[in-house]
Amino acid sequence: MKAFIKKVIKYTALTAAVAALSLSAMAGCSSEPAKKYVLPDSMSIILEPPASGTPEDYTALQNVGFVVGKLASRDYYHVESRSEITAKAPVVGDVKQKVEGSKDFSNGILISETINMGGTGVEPKAMQKYFGENEVLIRGAASSDSSDWNGLSTEWSTDTPKETLSYEQYEERYGLCASELSDFIINEDTFESAEDLQKVDGNYVLTVTLDTETAPAYYVRQMMTMGDLDEEPVFSKIALTICFTEDWTILSLKTDEVYTSVKKIIIPITANCSGGSTITYSYDRADVDISAYESYFKQYETKAE
């Protein structure tokens, strides 16, 4: 497992493209901050989309790689997610947990937000994260009272960051970085099967099933931290449905998850959990908001020497 977790698929063509875009941005608009290089390596498959052919000409795993590569090559994007999980446990009964999130990327700056409203035995958590060159900076909401939070319009603290983590520390606590397509690892080692590629209203829909042990190897770390769990969740189903255009531009991603989790509420309680996330993507620059970098995170980041 350790060897698998350390495996990184490098995308050298994309590295060159991002570097070229950086130089172009600096030369063409000197008033903008220099473009930063955000995580050139991915734990998932990442491929440069082909110059010819359509998604029907390629395998399911290749199409996923092209989707990841297309997203990674973009100068900017905005992502929103809505997640809902139902946990069924003895004594406690049914507990629903809802989480909202977002990612904003522009000019090499990546900022994400997560608002977890909690549930029985789970503390509400709100976090805004900046993925810098050397570390990840995390701040909480301005109010510690979750009733004051307002989803993706939540007001954020102006105090010093609550956490400053190296990328190694971040992986241990929160799993994969926000630059990844998914919290799950998607590559030839985790891929199990795929349904036939569908064409719906001119777009493509692909559903893939992932290995329940290797694909969530990093995601379970996030779940432990965000859910205050006592043991790593054990998955029995992971399915991803990706909707994308003919040029592999992702429009949406839906996850279908089934797993068990253990949480100590006086005594350890095992819950059977099911649900998933709906994630949507926008490429309208007006939707992208990285203002928190200039107004807050910039003053705390460590500059590379």
Side-chain angles (χ1 to χ4, degrees):
M1 175 64 75
K2 289 184 178 179
F4 164 73
I5 290 178
K6 292 296 182 183
K7 181 175 182 181
V8 174
I9 300 174
K10 295 183 184 252
Y11 181 23
T12 55
L14 181 61
T15 302
V18 174
L21 286 169
S22 176
L23 293 172
S24 174
M26 292 167 61
C29 189
S30 59
S31 63
E32 293 185 0
K35 185 168 184 177
K36 300 183 180 181
Y37 192 67
V38 178
L39 298 177
D41 297 330
S42 174
M43 289 300 294
S44 292
I45 186 171
I46 178 167
L47 301 172
E48 184 176 11
S52 61
T54 71
E56 289 137 318
D57 300 322
Y58 298 93
T59 68
L61 189 57
Q62 285 176 319
N63 277 317
V64 173
F66 296 149
V67 165
V68 177
K70 182 74 172 183
L71 182 66
S73 69
R74 287 189 174 275
D75 287 337
Y76 56 87
Y77 56 80
H78 172 75
V79 182
E80 292 190 7
S81 63
R82 301 286 187 276
S83 305
E84 183 169 324
I85 295 291
T86 299
K88 299 178 181 290
V91 182
V92 178
D94 290 3
V95 177
K96 291 187 181 296
Q97 188 172 359
K98 295 183 178 181
V99 181
E100 291 184 69
S102 68
K103 300 178 189 179
D104 287 280
F105 176 78
S106 180
N107 202 39
I109 295 170
L110 176 61
I111 294 174
S112 73
E113 297 181 359
T114 304
I115 297 91
N116 182 343
M117 296 308 296
T120 303
V122 179
E123 178 187 355
K125 293 181 176 67
M127 299 180 181
Q128 186 181 61
K129 305 174 185 177
Y130 163 65
F131 295 83
E133 187 171 358
N134 299 301
E135 76 270 288
V136 182
L137 303 178
I138 304 175
R139 65 171 168 170
S143 172
S144 59
D145 184 351
S146 61
S147 65
D148 293 332
W149 302 349
N150 184 26
L152 298 180
S153 298
T154 293
E155 182 180 350
W156 299 102
S157 171
T158 56
D159 294 337
T160 57
K162 60 186 295 187
E163 292 184 85
T164 299
L165 305 173
S166 68
Y167 278 97
E168 291 76 14
Q169 291 171 324
Y170 183 87
E171 285 184 353
E172 288 298 319
R173 280 185 56 74
Y174 296 103
L176 297 178
C177 195
S179 59
E180 297 278 358
L181 177 73
S182 169
D183 290 322
F184 298 105
I185 301 168
I186 315 168
N187 59 31
E188 64 271 19
D189 294 320
T190 68
F191 180 84
E192 280 200 340
S193 63
E195 296 181 9
D196 290 339
L197 183 66
Q198 303 292 323
K199 194 166 186 180
V200 181
D201 297 330
N203 297 316
Y204 290 89
V205 178
L206 176 64
T207 298
V208 300
T209 301
L210 303 179
D211 179 77
T212 55
E213 180 181 357
T214 54
Y218 283 83
Y219 182 35
V220 293
R221 301 176 184 182
Q222 177 194 129
M223 298 169 78
M224 291 278 290
T225 301
M226 297 300 290
D228 303 315
L229 301 178
D230 293 286
E231 297 179 15
E232 289 189 352
V234 177
F235 280 81
S236 57
K237 179 183 180 180
I238 303 169
L240 309 182
T241 299
I242 307 169
C243 179
F244 57 98
T245 65
E246 189 169 0
D247 70 348
W248 291 279
T249 295
I250 186 170
L251 302 176
S252 67
L253 170 65
K254 294 184 179 181
T255 71
D256 184 6
E257 309 165 28
V258 179
Y259 59 90
T260 59
S261 65
V262 177
K263 171 72 179 175
K264 188 174 183 180
I265 306 176
I266 303 178
I267 61 172
I269 295 176
T270 300
N272 296 313
C273 307
S274 61
S277 303
T278 298
I279 305 162
T280 56
Y281 297 76
S282 170
Y283 307 102
D284 185 342
R285 189 182 287 274
D287 292 335
V288 181
D289 182 6
I290 57 166
S291 59
Y293 172 70
E294 290 289 340
S295 65
Y296 177 76
F297 289 111
K298 184 177 180 179
Q299 63 185 312
Y300 297 109
E301 73 172 332
T302 301
K303 298 288 188 180
E305 297 182 0

